[in-house]
Amino acid sequence: MPLIVLTGLPRSGKTSRAKELEKYFTEQGMGPIFVVSEADCIARSGYGVKESFTDTAKEKQIRSSLKSEAMKLTTSTKLVILDGANYIKGYRYEVFCMSKAARTTQCTVYCAMTVEQREARRNEILQNESDELGIEAFDALCQRYEEPQGNSRWDLPLFTVYGGEELDLAGIKSALYDKAPLPPHLATQNMPLSETNFLFELDKTIQKIIDQIADARKLGNEGPVEIAQAGMTADVPANMSIAQLYRLRRQFLNYVKMHANVSSDVSKIPAIFVQFLNTHTNGA
């Protein structure tokens, strides 16, 4: 069943939109409906709102908890609304992979603000000394926020709504219920960890592929790199540094560790990682 990902800056109206969506789909008989709330997750953590956005470790834990809860709820009989800032492009991509692996439809609702609306929210925070978020955290989030884009697969279908505008509820319903879910491919299917040496083999194979890409760049090859063991090419941008490749390597390893439920097949690792690279770097 569908997953609705809300995204936007603090005070942009995300929770109000989540309630509006919950009410609409309940009246349409699309239940059961579950709202996974970032605010509730922060309250349960005991960290406080400001710390949850300014302390890197705490922020990662909140995001992980949100995705884990959404993952548990995403089944064939439930509509899930993920109500949070979801301001990092890579995180929204991870959620996209999650829903794709679960064979469910998904859409993104971007609660946008005009310059005037953002300044009004900023002034409200500035004038309220007891505000839980604080002006410094709000300004930092404004700078770090990665807006959803219409050319990013993980943000589509994208519905942008400003404060005071009506949400396209019928359009969201059609996007979620009138279209078939995207089929999972190798880069979004769950990877197994049943063999004791699987992680070792996984890391070794990924490192070899990265070395092949690095060697090709040193030889002046700026185009796609043929990865023979994968039976396909790694379409990695020529300006992508080795440091960026290692960051993708870490992301892939973390993703694999979180998705372990079938028997491992080491022979599939090269193709899965190359497809992950191609998916993650295309349009990113």
Side-chain angles (χ1 to χ4, degrees):
M1 290 292 277
L3 173 67
I4 302 175
V5 178
L6 287 164
T7 180
L9 290 168
R11 318 299 163 82
S12 60
K14 298 185 298 298
T15 298
S16 296
R17 297 297 186 181
K19 292 178 179 177
E20 183 180 356
L21 287 163
E22 183 181 21
K23 181 176 182 291
Y24 172 78
F25 282 105
T26 298
E27 292 174 348
Q28 294 291 314
M30 300 297 184
I33 300 166
F34 294 86
V35 178
V36 179
S37 167
E38 182 178 65
D40 291 346
C41 188
I42 291 173
R44 289 194 301 269
S45 72
Y47 294 150
V49 176
K50 183 177 181 180
E51 290 76 12
S52 297
F53 287 110
T54 57
D55 185 299
T56 302
K58 293 175 180 177
E59 185 179 15
K60 285 183 178 178
Q61 187 172 336
I62 293 296
R63 289 202 302 266
S64 178
S65 297
L66 282 170
K67 191 173 75 169
S68 176
E69 187 174 349
M71 186 183 300
K72 287 187 292 185
L73 290 170
T74 302
T75 70
S76 60
T77 59
K78 301 170 184 174
L79 168 62
V80 179
I81 301 172
L82 183 57
D83 173 19
N86 299 317
Y87 70 93
I88 299 174
K89 176 177 63 176
Y91 179 70
R92 294 198 301 271
Y93 172 78
E94 291 177 9
V95 173
F96 165 78
C97 289
M98 176 193 75
S99 63
K100 195 172 183 182
R103 293 175 171 81
T104 183
T105 53
Q106 175 184 319
C107 75
T108 303
V109 176
Y110 173 31
C111 298
M113 289 194 287
T114 64
V115 174
E116 293 77 15
Q117 289 171 338
R118 184 179 297 186
E119 280 302 308
R121 300 296 185 274
R122 189 179 188 279
N123 289 332
E124 290 173 4
I125 297 172
L126 193 60
Q127 294 169 13
N128 184 3
E129 296 181 358
S130 61
D131 188 275
E132 292 183 341
L133 180 63
I135 193 64
E136 292 183 1
F138 180 79
D139 286 345
L141 283 170
C142 288
Q143 293 177 354
R144 287 152 49 195
Y145 187 81
E146 297 177 327
E147 293 186 7
Q149 302 293 325
N151 60 352
S152 299
R153 292 186 304 279
W154 50 89
D155 289 326
L156 297 176
L158 176 61
F159 297 87
T160 300
V161 59
Y162 288 85
E165 292 183 346
E166 291 188 5
L167 188 57
D168 184 7
L169 297 169
I172 293 173
K173 178 185 175 184
S174 177
L176 295 176
Y177 289 95
D178 295 342
K179 297 181 180 179
L182 293 173
H185 52 60
L186 288 175
T188 56
Q189 290 186 55
N190 291 349
M191 281 293 297
L193 302 179
S194 61
E195 293 185 1
T196 56
N197 66 338
F198 181 77
L199 286 178
F200 172 77
E201 293 294 334
L202 174 71
D203 193 31
K204 185 173 69 174
T205 303
I206 290 174
Q207 183 60 56
K208 185 175 180 180
I209 292 173
I210 290 177
D211 289 343
Q212 287 177 260
I213 296 172
D215 290 342
R217 295 295 183 248
K218 289 178 183 177
L219 293 173
N221 177 7
E222 296 186 354
V225 179
E226 183 69 30
I227 308 297
Q229 63 269 42
M232 58 195 303
T233 58
D235 192 12
V236 178
N239 60 353
M240 176 164 281
S241 67
I242 297 301
Q244 289 174 304
L245 284 172
Y246 273 111
R247 280 197 291 272
L248 287 173
R249 168 181 170 271
R250 289 195 297 271
Q251 290 178 24
F252 183 72
L253 287 172
N254 288 333
Y255 181 80
V256 169
K257 291 174 184 177
M258 293 176 61
H259 299 75
N261 60 359
V262 291
S263 61
S264 61
D265 188 345
V266 175
S267 65
K268 294 182 179 179
I269 295 173
I272 292 171
F273 180 60
V274 171
Q275 202 163 50
F276 175 86
L277 287 178
N278 292 344
T279 301
H280 199 83
T281 58
N282 183 19

